């Protein structure tokens, strides 16, 4: 007779999925940093903040 073992559902991430998720997060952070440090965005944000403070 075969023994019945409890096999938990695959609810978490394994190491490869963590690596891919981390790489995607770092790539997104890099793109976000480049966008937010661009002159156009900095000027727009400064304008918005100055208008809000008036």
């Amino acid at each position: 007779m075969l023994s019945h073992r409890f096999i938990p559902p695959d609810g978490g991430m394994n190491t490869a999925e963590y690596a891919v998720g981390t790489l995607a997060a770092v790539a997104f952070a890099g793109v976000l940093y480049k966008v937010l440090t661009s002159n156009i965005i900095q000027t727009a944000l400064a304008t918005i903040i100055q208008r809000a403070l008036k």
Side-chain angles (χ1 to χ4, degrees):
M1 182 172 218
L2 296 172
S3 65
H4 295 280
R5 295 183 188 174
F6 175 72
I7 301 174
D10 187 20
M13 293 195 304
N14 63 32
T15 304
E17 290 168 333
Y18 275 116
V20 171
T22 301
L23 182 62
V26 169
F28 179 73
V31 169
L32 187 61
Y33 175 77
K34 288 301 258 182
V35 168
L36 290 178
T37 58
S38 69
N39 287 334
I40 294 171
I41 298 299
Q42 284 184 351
T43 303
L45 289 174
T47 302
I48 291 169
I49 292 170
Q50 287 174 355
R51 287 182 185 172
L53 294 176
K54 287 184 180 180

